[in-house]
């Protein structure tokens, strides 16, 4: 993925429309944080340090989606400054929960929420970073998994391919011996269409997968919708199943729109 | 204790207390005893201590894409058929560290592997599951290259088989010639009747363990009842897979339009391969710490339903779900025969029950082979 990276690559963390939870995962990696800080130069990370060094950077981690004209321009500058650009989290990779606006009139929200709507300038849509600039890699999740983040940084530093699987959550359940909630309890679980990476956290605690990591490779949400329907789940519930953190990821978008029409 | 007069069959009668003694005797011999118990809304295989851990009075309902625990009218200990897990999770672990290495003062050192392999005794192995273990034996031990982790667990393994006295609607062992009657591969074979078990030793080790616990010769009537109970299970089997000339017929169906129909339903979620007791594929992941002074190699269960599975230089060979399902089904029922001289399917039906979409290979084969 990365060749000829300096021995101590310069890393920058950028925020767009997001809740900051993903970049906090880096600070949350307590056991590895010192080692990470030792292996890379944290050159720009406003959430963590007032020391903000100028670019260019070897690795840019981008959190958040594009929701304003200003951000649409800023991401272009960020891209130019980063040799490798990695999007982190559902906002950056899919548009995030704020992409729910994409089905509604954003200006109407502005009129209802803000005392002075004329101060607010916003785009009609919340869109992922990859719709604006080329992206070299992504970490999924709402929030991302800190182990995946540490794995990504370790791999970039070592110049090896990171182990970031793109298969289903089901495989994680099966490997850890979690009994299938969908089959054994009829729980509406998005695991069969969702990308692994969280360690099947919710199913392990008896909750169906919410799809935080977005659509897996070759996801077939149409088939899952049919399964949910056959189990008696109403279409409006199926719309909501697919319309959350990764609502704008096209596979989930298509599935929610199909359920809406059904 | 004087040796009781043996029946011609060598069958003995074990009370439930006798079974409890058996579990104790196995533990006393240093085995980690694994058996069925309730867990997460299913009957799973896990460590057990006494017969109190067994799922007394529980059974299950199974159909394509659906499993539910149910109470039985009685308190049978083995009154269910099969749960979601197979014994392969112990013999061929889902996640295994193959080795680790450390860099110290510029020196690179491979560290010794983790401890000794566990010594397992499995209690409650069904006929189809014995057949599945035999399939994995063939694959992982039966050739020029032996898989050492499997071998270490397998050679110590003690098997207490329990014959099925009922069949789930998803069972088709009789079509695959693997059950419900135990044909071999166990150390002890038990058949549960209402008050206890008809047991027989099927190996020297089995006879030795049996000799150490309370028992009496089984009566002819008890033996007859046990045979009838297994025959009743056989009679309950409704699913069929016609294996006549199956290899040739499946190869001929390789361009059948029906593969597209399966692909429309298939989630490519890998569940069928994960629950399959014979699927053996793994991937290897190398990891390194951020400091670069420690590296590990892990082996994990993999599946032919993932994109990365067929990744070679330039990309994945099987990009469509259609091609992945076809690969899996034809491997199980055709190319496995070419490779290993046996089917890769034992008819346990787990792939049918645990497929969220309820894809049923017996039905798919019928449709694939139906004259167009």
């Amino acid at each position: 993925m990365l060749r000829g990276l300096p021995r101590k690559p310069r890393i920058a963390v950028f925020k767009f429309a997001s809740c900051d939870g993903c970049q906090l995962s880096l600070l949350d990696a307590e056991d590895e944080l010192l080692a990470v800080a030792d292996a890379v130069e944290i050159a720009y990370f406003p959430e963590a340090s007032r020391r903000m060094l100028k670019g260019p950077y070897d690795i840019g981690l981008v959190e958040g989606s594009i929701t304003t004209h200003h951000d649409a321009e800023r991401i272009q500058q960020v891209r130019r400054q980063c040799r490798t650009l990695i999007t982190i989290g559902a906002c950056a990779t899919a548009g995030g929960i704020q992409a729910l606006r994409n089905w509604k009139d954003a200006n109407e929200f502005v009129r209802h929420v803000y005392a002075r709507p004329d101060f607010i300038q916003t785009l009609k849509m919340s869109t992922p970073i990859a719709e604006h600039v080329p992206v070299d890699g992504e970490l999924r999740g709402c929030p991302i998994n800190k182990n995946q983040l540490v794995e990504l940084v370790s791999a970039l530093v070592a110049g090896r391919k990171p182990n970031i699987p793109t298969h289903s959550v089901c495989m994680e359940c099966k490997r850890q011996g979690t009994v299938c909630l969908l089959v054994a309890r009829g729980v509406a679980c998005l695991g069969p269409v969702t990308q692994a990476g969280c360690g099947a956290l919710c199913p392990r605690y008896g909750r169906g997968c919410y799809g935080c990591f977005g659509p897996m490779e070759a996801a077939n949400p149409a088939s899952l919708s049919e399964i949910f329907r056959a189990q008696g789940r109403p279409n409006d519930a199926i719309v909501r199943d697919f319309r959350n953190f990764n609502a704008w990821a096209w596979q989930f978008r298509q599935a929610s729109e199909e359920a809406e029409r059904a | 204790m004087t040796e009781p007069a043996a029946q011609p069959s060598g069958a003995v009668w074990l009370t439930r207390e006798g079974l409890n003694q058996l579990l104790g005797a196995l533990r006393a011999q240093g085995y980690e005893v694994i058996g069925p118990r309730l867990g997460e809304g299913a009957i799973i295989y896990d460590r057990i201590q006494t017969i109190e851990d067994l799922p007394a009075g529980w059974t299950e309902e199974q159909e394509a894409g659906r499993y539910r625990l149910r109470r039985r009218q009685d308190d049978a200990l083995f009154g269910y058929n099969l749960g979601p897990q197979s014994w392969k999770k112990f013999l061929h672990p889902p996640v295994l560290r193959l080795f680790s290495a450390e860099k110290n003062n510029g020196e690179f050192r491979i560290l010794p592997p983790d401890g000794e392999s566990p010594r397992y005794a499995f209690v409650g192995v069904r006929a189809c599951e014995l057949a599945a273990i035999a399939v994995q034996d063939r694959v992982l031990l039966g050739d020029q290259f032996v898989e050492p982790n499997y071998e270490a667990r397998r050679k110590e393994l003690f098997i207490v088989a329990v014959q099925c006295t009922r069949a789930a609607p998803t069972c088709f062992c009789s079509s695959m010639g693997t059950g419900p009657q135990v044909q071999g591969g166990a150390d002890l074979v038990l058949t549960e009747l209402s008050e206890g078990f008809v047991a027989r030793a099927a190996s020297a080790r089995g006879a030795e363990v049996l000799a150490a616990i309370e028992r009496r010769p089984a009566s002819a009537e008890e033996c007859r009842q046990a045979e009838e109970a297994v025959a009743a299970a056989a009679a309950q089997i409704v699913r069929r897979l016609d294996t006549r000339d199956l290899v040739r017929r499946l190869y001929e169906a390789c361009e059948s339009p029906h593969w597209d129909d399966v692909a429309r339903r298939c989630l490519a979620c890998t569940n069928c391969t994960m629950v399959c007791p014979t699927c053996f594929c793994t991937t290897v992941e190398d990891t390194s710490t951020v400091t670069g002074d420690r590296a590990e190699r892990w082996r994990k269960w993999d599946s032919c339903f993932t994109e990365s599975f067929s990744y070679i230089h330039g990309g994945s060979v099987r990009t469509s779900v259609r091609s992945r399902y076809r690969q899996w089904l034809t491997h199980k029922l055709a190319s496995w025969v070419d490779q290993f001289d046996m089917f890769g399917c034992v008819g346990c039906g787990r792939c049918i029950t645990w497929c969220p979409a309820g894809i049923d290979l017996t039905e798919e084969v019928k449709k694939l082979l139906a004259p167009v």
Side-chain angles (χ1 to χ4, degrees):
Chain A
M1 182 176 205
L2 263 196
R3 298 200 191 283
L5 208 68
R7 230 181 58 79
K8 198 164 174 171
R10 304 182 84 216
I11 197 164
V13 184
F14 301 96
K15 173 190 157 67
F16 288 80
S18 60
C19 77
D20 292 32
C22 289
Q23 47 175 317
L24 282 175
S25 301
L26 189 56
L27 298 177
D28 189 33
E30 289 162 3
D31 296 337
E32 299 87 358
L33 188 59
L34 288 177
V36 170
D38 205 37
V40 300
E41 182 187 4
I42 298 177
Y44 181 87
F45 189 4
E47 181 99 14
S49 167
R50 276 181 296 183
R51 192 183 76 136
M52 291 182 262
L53 304 177
K54 282 195 180 342
Y57 311 102
D58 296 301
I59 302 166
L61 301 178
V62 176
E63 175 197 271
S65 68
I66 304 299
T67 57
T68 65
H69 295 287
H70 174 248
D71 279 354
E73 282 166 24
R74 188 162 60 97
I75 188 62
Q76 301 295 333
Q77 293 163 19
V78 166
R79 174 69 267 195
R80 278 196 291 274
Q81 289 181 62
C82 298
R83 194 165 152 197
T84 294
L85 189 141
I86 312 276
T87 48
I88 59 167
C91 298
T93 60
I97 191 76
Q98 60 272 27
L100 290 177
R101 72 159 73 170
N102 300 1
W103 283 274
K104 304 283 181 195
D105 179 0
N107 285 326
E108 201 180 325
F109 291 137
V110 171
R111 279 198 301 277
H112 282 94
V113 172
Y114 297 98
R116 291 289 305 271
D118 50 319
F119 284 5
I120 305 296
Q121 280 191 320
T122 186
L123 294 170
K124 285 194 170 112
M125 310 264 264
S126 168
T127 45
I129 301 299
E131 280 192 26
H132 299 264
V133 294
V135 167
D136 301 304
E138 60 177 27
L139 287 185
R140 301 281 195 84
C142 184
I144 56 166
N145 175 290
K146 71 164 191 178
N147 298 321
Q148 283 206 333
L149 183 61
V150 172
E151 163 64 12
L152 177 85
V153 173
S154 305
L156 289 174
V157 170
R160 65 171 170 82
K161 186 172 165 277
N163 296 303
I164 308 290
T166 55
H167 56 65
S168 68
V169 171
C170 300
M171 211 149 153
E172 294 192 305
C173 271
K174 290 295 182 291
R175 282 177 183 160
Q176 69 193 18
T178 300
V179 174
C180 182
L181 292 163
L182 188 52
V183 171
R185 298 189 200 182
V187 172
C189 176
L190 290 187
V193 296
T194 300
Q195 180 167 308
C198 61
L201 195 57
C202 293
R204 212 191 316 152
Y205 290 95
R207 300 291 298 262
C209 168
Y210 292 98
C212 304
F213 276 60
M216 62 182 256
E217 57 176 38
N220 187 355
S223 175
L224 190 64
S225 293
E226 266 179 53
I227 295 163
F228 286 177
R229 230 168 265 137
Q231 291 188 345
R233 196 162 178 79
N235 275 314
D236 59 339
I238 297 173
V239 173
R240 288 194 298 275
D241 289 336
F242 288 109
R243 213 168 272 183
N244 49 42
F245 327 103
N246 289 282
W248 202 243
W250 70 265
Q251 299 93 327
F252 284 7
R253 183 168 81 209
Q254 213 170 49
S256 75
E257 287 174 356
E258 269 167 21
E260 209 165 35
R261 282 193 300 270
Chain B
M1 194 172 85
T2 12
E3 192 71 12
Q7 282 292 111
S9 65
V12 298
W13 176 258
L14 289 188
T15 60
R16 287 191 165 193
E17 181 43 37
L19 177 67
N20 209 25
Q21 287 180 15
L22 172 66
L23 302 184
L26 289 169
R27 286 199 294 128
Q29 289 194 18
Y31 287 108
E32 191 174 330
V33 181
I34 309 289
R37 63 189 305 169
L38 288 182
E40 299 182 42
I43 292 166
I44 58 169
Y45 295 148
D46 202 354
R47 211 170 289 179
I48 56 168
Q49 303 288 328
T50 69
I51 60 166
E52 295 298 311
D53 295 325
L54 298 172
W58 286 96
T59 188
E60 85 280 52
E61 270 174 26
Q62 297 195 51
E63 56 184 275
R66 192 171 188 276
Y67 176 104
R68 290 292 184 278
L69 272 182
R70 290 283 178 256
R71 287 303 287 195
R72 283 176 63 96
Q73 303 293 330
D74 59 19
D75 65 344
L77 298 176
F78 297 92
Y80 60 91
N81 281 105
L82 291 168
Q85 303 170 344
S86 75
W87 305 97
K88 88 172 173 187
K89 75 169 185 169
F90 300 102
L91 296 176
H92 187 51
V95 180
L96 185 70
R97 178 162 50 203
L98 295 179
F99 73 83
S100 44
E102 265 181 6
K103 197 166 71 178
N104 231 331
N105 301 324
E107 239 176 80
F108 178 77
R109 203 161 60 92
I110 304 275
L111 302 174
D114 309 334
E116 275 178 32
S117 294
R119 205 161 160 255
Y120 290 123
F122 293 166
V123 176
V125 181
R126 304 301 192 182
C128 62
E129 299 184 304
L130 285 165
I133 292 170
V135 171
Q136 289 217 324
D137 286 353
R138 170 68 189 85
V139 174
L140 299 170
L141 305 176
D143 257 318
Q144 191 183 352
F145 300 105
V146 165
E147 206 290 279
N149 299 290
Y150 183 86
E151 185 189 32
R153 289 163 174 75
R154 181 67 180 96
K155 73 170 187 237
E156 293 292 332
L157 177 64
F158 189 99
I159 297 181
V160 181
V162 176
Q163 303 201 94
C164 288
T165 52
R166 74 189 279 272
T170 44
C171 294
F172 59 104
C173 60
S174 45
S175 292
M176 304 314 293
T178 61
Q181 192 159 26
V182 168
Q183 292 156 8
D187 294 295
L188 290 174
V189 182
L190 271 52
T191 311
E192 185 172 25
L193 298 177
S194 56
E195 301 297 321
F197 298 87
V198 173
R200 60 184 168 79
S203 74
R205 285 196 306 177
E208 200 181 307
V209 173
L210 207 53
I213 60 178
E214 246 174 71
R215 72 209 179 283
R216 63 164 170 78
S219 70
E221 173 61 15
E222 286 156 352
C223 291
R224 191 187 58 77
Q225 280 181 20
E227 262 173 49
E228 273 178 9
V230 179
Q236 275 179 20
I237 294 172
V238 289
R239 264 187 170 73
R240 300 269 181 272
L241 182 70
D242 182 4
T243 58
R244 281 171 307 172
D245 205 15
L246 185 56
V247 175
R248 186 188 59 80
R249 292 193 299 155
L250 262 182
Y251 284 149
E252 280 177 10
C254 76
E255 294 301 338
S256 164
H258 188 66
W259 298 113
D260 293 314
D261 183 73
V262 185
R264 194 183 53 75
R265 288 169 283 143
C266 177
L267 296 155
C269 62
T270 76
N271 277 320
C272 50
T273 53
M274 297 285 112
V275 298
C276 176
T278 71
C279 274
F280 55 86
C281 285
T282 54
T283 185
V284 168
E285 278 179 13
D286 287 345
T287 65
S288 58
T289 55
V290 69
T291 50
D293 52 14
R294 189 181 168 87
E296 293 181 346
R297 175 162 293 176
W298 289 82
R299 189 186 75 185
K300 297 177 173 180
W301 281 357
D302 201 4
S303 168
C304 48
F305 281 88
T306 71
E307 203 168 281
S308 61
F309 184 86
S310 68
Y311 184 88
I312 56 170
H313 175 77
S316 287
V317 176
R318 295 184 205 107
T319 51
S320 68
V321 173
R322 173 189 193 270
S323 65
R324 294 181 210 163
Y325 186 83
R326 186 174 67 178
Q327 159 65 24
W328 178 72
L329 188 88
T330 50
H331 190 210
K332 288 285 155 197
L333 298 173
S335 48
W336 205 295
V337 179
D338 297 338
Q339 241 182 319
F340 304 115
D341 215 19
M342 58 189 354
F343 286 117
C345 172
V346 296
C348 73
R350 281 190 182 88
C351 59
I352 304 172
T353 300
W354 297 96
C355 172
I359 296 172
D360 173 351
L361 86 166
T362 65
E363 287 300 314
E364 307 312 334
V365 166
K366 268 184 221 158
K367 287 175 184 149
L368 286 163
L369 302 186
V372 184

